[in-house]
């Protein structure tokens, strides 16, 4: 089990001086007893004995074997795997002479001293990791595990490694965005499977089927009538919202009524809303608050007779001229997104026209919206992409790393969520390169259909329903991959505390050792079905590269949402070195979890 402050530290680290003196006294007393009652010598196995390990075995209960509660190395399994054992054998001290016991004791002390030298001067960078400050969690972790984690962390500083970025750039350059049910999605998935199987030793890539809907936006346009402008109208940039219905073939032409909340919509009611287009114009504070108008706007406005809905784009106000798409609940009226600047323009026109002293030029805002979207339900069998690194001792048990593979049909989906999927792939590749796979299988899942109905996550759950109990941990990256910061963890308090210990001791060298909880940021949309069925979960979090804001800060997510679901989501948003450091951090976190005894 993971030791707390009341439990002894494991073999491989020096015992307290008081413990050594006590043991020496016991040795002297035993020698005196043997002089009086000599014992017949027998053979002894001392290949993995330790003072601390002997105490550990005596004080350990049979029930203390649950996942993430037992960090001590299992000697039998380690020998089978070819790893260095770090546990106690059954030492029959009653059958040894005093001289032999003293020799064994001194040899054990020498081994422990050598281990400390190894940790201090070979495994760890003294300027970054100080073993003298390790928590009980880290002290209770196998030295072999710590050595591998150290190599993974230092891979984050290898500036020659740009594999993850290069692969992401190549795939998006070749195939573009990966809208669910599109041919580009399928071609991109095949490219990942082929690349992983051909280039990444020890990784096995394949796909699993997912039935998905096929929504296509088709041609679309939005014009705002302004008599004082040249031609009497302005063509406004817009993006139809995912799952929206189409307009009639000739479009919809109507006056626009701006509102700022669902409550204001209800107060205006049918008298004002019926027959008009509703514009939801709001100040962006948090994405979740803004996205509810995109998601529910058409459904709510339809109740009061609206003929269409325009939604101010769900992006920071400073991105005043960009337009972002996203999913919406399908209603009987069409829904589209417009920029913050154009939403403000329409609202200013509305208030000027409503004023008592309105000039003749101050006309009510009127638009013509044309959308040729179509939806075919359950139209195609697509796929999740899966990449496995088989575990060495418990391959049936899984630590899952993930990001979603689908994107919207704008930009190329490099940030949302190509980087999240590829950081998981690169983490698995880095672990495979160590030559020491963890005890449990590392599984990368690139989810299909996260952007609308999470069909990929649901299909995976149904396909592996009988194996969910073998999923020991799940991690998702879907909030941008920039400079690594840490994890948001949904798990029991002990697991959270143990991860905090690892973070402060080890992951800090990449700045990635911070731990927060779902109250600040949830682990992820796709793994939520696993979390809700008892699998410990985490989300990979980054630092905002614009202002160095961290999770919990008001401005933390603004950089991500500046490019989210927009034409600007291109490979240039991703920094190749930040992507590598994040992959190294994810590799270290997942290895620590997957290599537990």
């Amino acid at each position: 089990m993971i030791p707390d402050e009341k439990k002894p530290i494991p073999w491989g680290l020096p015992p307290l001086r008081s413990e050594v003196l006590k043991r020496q006294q016991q040795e002297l007393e035993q020698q005196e007893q043997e002089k009086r009652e000599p014992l017949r010598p027998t053979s002894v196995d001392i290949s993995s004995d330790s003072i601390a390990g002997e105490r550990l075995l005596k004080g350990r209960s049979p029930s203390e074997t649950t996942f993430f509660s037992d960090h001590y190395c299992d000697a039998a399994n380690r020998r089978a795997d070819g790893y260095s054992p770090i546990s106690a054998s059954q030492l029959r001290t009653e059958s040894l002479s005093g001289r032999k016991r003293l020799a064994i004791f001194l040899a054990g002390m020498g081994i422990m001293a050598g281990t400390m030298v190894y940790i201090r001067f070979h495994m760890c960078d003294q300027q970054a990791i100080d073993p003298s400050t390790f928590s009980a969690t880290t002290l209770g972790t196998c030295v072999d595990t710590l050595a591998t984690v150290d190599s993974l962390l230092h891979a984050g500083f290898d500036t020659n490694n740009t594999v993850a970025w290069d692969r992401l750039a190549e795939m998006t350059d070749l195939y573009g965005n990966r809208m669910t049910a599109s041919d580009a999605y399928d071609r991109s998935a095949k490219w990942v499977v082929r690349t992983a199987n051909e280039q990444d030793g020890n990784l096995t890539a394949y796909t699993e089927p997912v039935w998905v809907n096929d929504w296509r936006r088709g041609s679309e346009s939005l014009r705002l009538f302004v008599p004082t402008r040249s031609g009497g109208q302005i063509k406004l940039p817009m993006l139809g919202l995912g799952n929206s219905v189409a307009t009639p073939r000739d479009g919809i032409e109507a006056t626009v009524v701006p509102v700022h909340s669902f409550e204001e919509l209800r107060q205006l009611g049918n008298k004002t809303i019926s027959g008009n287009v509703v514009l939801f114009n709001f100040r962006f504070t948090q994405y979740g608050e803004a996205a509810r108008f995109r998601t529910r706007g058409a459904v709510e406005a339809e109740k009061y007779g609206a003929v269409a809905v325009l939604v101010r784009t769900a992006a920071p106000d400073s991105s005043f001229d960009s337009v972002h798409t996203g999913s919406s609940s399908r209603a009987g009226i069409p829904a589209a997104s417009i920029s913050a600047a154009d939403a403000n323009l329409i609202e200013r026109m509305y208030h000027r026209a409503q004023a008592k002293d309105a000039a003749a030029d101050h006309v009510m805002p009127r638009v013509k919206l044309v959308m040729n979207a179509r939806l075919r339900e359950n139209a195609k069998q697509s796929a999740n992409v899966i990449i496995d690194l088989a575990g060495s001792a418990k391959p049936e048990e899984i630590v899952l790393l993930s990001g979603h593979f689908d994107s919207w049909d704008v930009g190329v989906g490099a940030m949302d969520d190509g980087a999240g999927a590829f950081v998981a792939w690169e983490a698995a590749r880095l672990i495979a390169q160590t030559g020491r796979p963890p005890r449990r299988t590392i599984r990368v899942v690139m989810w299909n259909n996260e952007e609308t109905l999470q069909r990929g996550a649901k299909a995976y759950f149904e396909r592996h329903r009988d194996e969910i109990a073998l999923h020991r941990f799940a991690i998702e990256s879907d909030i941008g991959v920039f400079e690594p910061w840490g994890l948001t963890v949904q798990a029991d308090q002990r697991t959270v505390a143990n991860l905090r210990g690892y973070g402060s001791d080890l992951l800090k060298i990449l700045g990635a050792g911070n731990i927060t909880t779902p109250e600040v940021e949830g682990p992820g949309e796709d793994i939520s079905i696993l979390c809700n069925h008892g699998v410990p979960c985490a989300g990979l979090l980054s630092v905002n590269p614009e202002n160095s804001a961290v999770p919990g800060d008001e401005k933390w997510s603004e950089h991500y949402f500046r490019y989210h679901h927009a034409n600007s989501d291109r490979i240039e948003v991703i920094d190749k070195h930040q992507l590598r450091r994040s992959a190294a951090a994810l590799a270290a976190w997942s290895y620590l979890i997957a290599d537990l005894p």
Side-chain angles (χ1 to χ4, degrees), residues 124-168:
C124 299
D125 179 352
Q126 281 281 297
Q127 295 181 347
I129 298 178
D130 181 5
S132 67
T133 66
F134 279 0
S135 66
T137 299
T138 307
L139 291 177
T141 303
C142 300
V143 172
D144 288 343
T145 302
L146 293 179
T148 304
V149 168
D150 179 73
S151 70
L152 292 170
L153 291 171
H154 282 81
F157 299 104
D158 179 10
T159 57
N160 293 320
N161 174 19
T162 59
V163 171
W165 191 93
D166 293 339
R167 286 176 168 178
L168 182 58

Side-chain angles (χ1 to χ4, degrees), residues 549-579:
V550 300
D553 292 348
E554 182 179 355
K555 302 292 186 180
W556 168 61
S557 62
E558 282 197 358
H559 180 77
Y560 175 74
F561 288 114
R562 195 177 310 287
Y563 306 101
H564 178 252
H565 297 180
N567 282 303
S568 54
D569 185 354
R570 306 290 294 271
I571 189 64
E572 285 74 16
V573 180
I574 304 301
D575 180 275
K576 60 184 65 178
H577 302 299
Q578 292 176 353
L579 185 60

